[in-house]
Amino acid sequence: MSKLNPLNWSRKWQIIGGVGATVIIVAVIVGAVEGSKSSESGSYPDYSALNYTISERMNGTTFFDHFNYYTDADPSNGAVVYLSEESATWSNLTYAGESSAILRVDSTSSGITNRNSVRITSKNQWDTGLFVFDVIHSPYGCGTWPAVWLSDPDNWPTNGEIDVIEAVEQGNKGNQMTLHTSEGCTMKAKREETGTVSGTNCWNSTNDNEGCGVFGTKSSYGEALNEAGGGLFAVELRDAGIRMWMFDRSSPPSDLTSTNDSSPDPSGWGTPVADFPSTHCDISDHFSNQSIIANIDLCGDWAGSTAVYSTEYGCSGTCADLVSGNGTAFENAYWEFASFRVWTSS
Ligand SMILES: *[C@@H]1O[C@H](CO)[C@@H](O)[C@H](O)[C@H]1NC(C)=O
Ligand SMILES: *[C@@H]1O[C@H](CO)[C@@H](O)[C@H](O)[C@H]1NC(C)=O
Ligand SMILES: *[C@@H]1O[C@H](CO)[C@@H](O)[C@H](O)[C@H]1NC(C)=O
Ligand SMILES: *[C@@H]1O[C@H](CO)[C@@H](O)[C@H](O)[C@H]1NC(C)=O
Ligand SMILES: *[C@@H]1O[C@H](CO)[C@@H](O)[C@H](O)[C@H]1NC(C)=O
Ligand SMILES: *[C@@H]1O[C@H](CO)[C@@H](O)[C@H](O)[C@H]1NC(C)=O
Ligand SMILES: *[C@@H]1O[C@H](CO)[C@@H](O)[C@H](O)[C@H]1NC(C)=O
């Protein structure tokens, strides 16, 4: 689900919600069939190793210095007020310590319509690169719609959107990795990935802008991920394609473990969760000027739809009532990041 699109998706989710499982099963079958006929056109890209050098490291007490705080109304109709840097710091909704940075939703106010939250956008943008997000805690709980993603907010969907970490409500159905693009980008091709395909046309004007998505395992998000100490999410964005990995805290690749930023090499990381090859999608044409964005939305077009909130996830009452409650429901609605790192190849 795109977080930049102003349209209302409730109706779509009312239709889809009741048959969610069927949709996934059909998507798996369609994905498998499409994968097997891939040789008919285009060819699988050459993902041979590039030489990466560190471009930016965001960690420690200066973590938020790398970002601008977004303060406009939520484009996805969420029940949030996105705070300025000054307000977020003052109310401790963003807090950067030596070892981690926290980004959270207010969990103490009551009797409100929109709850305070945060949405940050990196000051720098990249056309290509290797991005690694070290996540200690992912936000979850009824009413939440958190994400870590890449996009050019001023040129959407022309310059593309890459959703790296995204889930709604309890987040117990697994992480979703999704692309949203302008016309002419599909994934009906051979792919080498471990995830479950949920859509193959990335163009925003198809399938109600569902995008081309891939689900990770059920434990790739939320409470299960947090109990395992979090994990590392990696994205390689290059002309050959876009690939995303997720690594357990306990077993990351040796070139991603330490503070040694020299030359990570995805070719040694094994099969990615999601593979978006350039076979039928000109990546350099569809993706440029990507900022890193992290936010926690509440309710809104996706998490707030009845079909998703109550029918699919079994959350009680209404999303609006939960938001206006005493806030205890949002005590787990926080991101904790150890670091974000970006490498580029010359
Ligand atoms: C990366 O660097 C190595 C050693 O300097 C060199 O042999 C190799 O050709 C380079 N690869 C690319 C893709 O530039
Ligand atoms: C702000 O949040 C951090 C992280 O949760 C916590 O360690 C710190 O004590 C909080 N500061 C205040 C003033 O509440
Ligand atoms: C943060 O990054 C710096 C390098 O820029 C490194 O020296 C430091 O150890 C890092 N801190 C943590 C907690 O990883
Ligand atoms: C897709 O993007 C186009 C071009 O910006 C925009 O006009 C259109 O409203 C978008 N459609 C959807 C369904 O997001
Ligand atoms: C960092 O890793 C590189 C590549 O693995 C290695 O050559 C280099 O010696 C390491 N640097 C330090 C300071 O450990
Ligand atoms: C990317 O941003 C640069 C600097 O603002 C701009 O010159 C360039 O046209 C942008 N590229 C695209 C494809 O929008
Ligand atoms: C806050 O709301 C929850 C859910 O309605 C309730 O269980 C809890 O007792 C409330 N806490 C306080 C301090 O009012």
Side-chain angles (χ1 to χ4, degrees):
M1 175 86 27
S2 168
K3 293 151 294 294
L4 290 167
N5 191 283
L7 298 183
N8 189 323
W9 300 109
S10 307
R11 191 174 143 71
K12 172 194 148 194
W13 286 103
Q14 276 157 21
I15 295 163
I16 287 179
V19 290
T22 314
V23 170
I24 289 166
I25 290 162
V26 170
V28 170
I29 294 165
V30 170
V33 171
E34 279 164 359
S36 67
K37 54 182 193 189
S38 61
S39 53
E40 284 168 16
S41 60
S43 60
Y44 193 69
D46 175 6
Y47 281 124
S48 58
L50 301 173
N51 290 335
Y52 284 109
T53 53
I54 191 79
S55 164
E56 194 161 336
R57 168 182 262 278
M58 313 174 199
N59 75 332
T61 55
T62 57
F63 182 87
F64 292 105
D65 297 352
H66 299 267
F67 296 88
N68 292 316
Y69 285 60
Y70 173 96
T71 55
D72 287 346
D74 181 56
S76 309
N77 301 306
V80 288
V81 176
Y82 288 126
L83 298 188
S84 67
E85 176 161 21
E86 190 182 22
S87 300
T89 306
W90 184 83
S91 54
N92 213 22
L93 294 194
T94 53
Y95 171 84
E98 290 293 339
S99 58
S100 69
I102 306 258
L103 186 162
R104 69 182 132 219
V105 167
D106 163 45
S107 61
T108 59
S109 307
S110 61
I112 49 177
T113 304
N114 294 325
R115 190 165 281 281
N116 287 344
S117 184
V118 180
R119 171 159 159 163
I120 55 173
T121 307
S122 69
K123 291 173 180 171
N124 283 334
Q125 297 187 314
W126 296 266
D127 290 332
T128 58
L130 182 63
F131 305 77
V132 176
F133 306 101
D134 187 330
V135 177
I136 296 170
H137 186 277
S138 57
Y140 70 95
C142 287
T144 62
W145 175 8
V148 173
W149 40 301
L150 306 176
S151 192
D152 176 1
D154 295 330
N155 296 286
W156 187 93
T158 315
N159 287 352
E161 174 182 336
I162 305 170
D163 299 328
V164 186
I165 318 175
E166 184 173 24
V168 289
E169 323 295 0
Q170 298 95 326
N172 54 3
K173 297 188 186 227
N175 181 47
Q176 305 185 33
M177 296 165 156
T178 310
L179 306 185
H180 299 273
T181 67
S182 55
E183 185 173 9
C185 177
T186 68
M187 292 299 142
K188 295 167 188 167
K190 176 191 172 189
R191 304 169 78 175
E192 295 189 357
E193 60 192 3
T194 62
T196 303
V197 173
S198 68
T200 55
N201 197 335
C202 315
W203 181 20
N204 80 305
S205 295
T206 59
N207 304 320
D208 284 340
N209 188 27
E210 191 180 280
C212 49
V214 178
F215 278 84
T217 61
K218 281 193 174 150
S219 59
S220 59
Y221 193 85
E223 190 173 15
L225 174 70
N226 301 342
E227 280 179 357
L232 276 69
F233 294 80
V235 182
E236 188 183 38
L237 164 58
R238 56 190 283 184
D239 292 356
I242 298 170
R243 295 183 296 170
M244 305 195 216
W245 291 259
M246 191 228 145
F247 303 110
D248 294 342
R249 167 80 48 217
S250 56
S251 54
S254 58
D255 52 358
L256 284 183
T257 46
S258 66
T259 52
N260 182 351
D261 293 330
S262 58
S263 51
D265 178 9
S267 63
W269 294 352
T271 307
V273 176
D275 177 17
F276 303 94
S278 58
T279 315
H280 302 303
C281 181
D282 184 335
I283 299 294
S284 61
D285 186 43
H286 284 287
F287 294 89
S288 48
N289 288 348
Q290 298 285 292
S291 287
I292 297 168
I293 308 175
N295 74 313
I296 305 174
D297 203 349
L298 298 177
C299 305
D301 299 333
W302 190 4
S305 119
T306 308
V308 175
Y309 180 84
S310 15
T311 312
E312 191 180 352
Y313 283 86
C315 295
S316 57
T318 67
C319 201
D321 285 348
L322 194 71
V323 165
S324 78
N326 61 24
T328 51
F330 300 103
E331 284 171 352
N332 284 310
Y334 70 94
W335 288 111
E336 184 171 4
F337 303 120
S339 67
F340 287 178
R341 289 183 280 173
V342 184
W343 291 262
T344 50
S345 72
S346 43

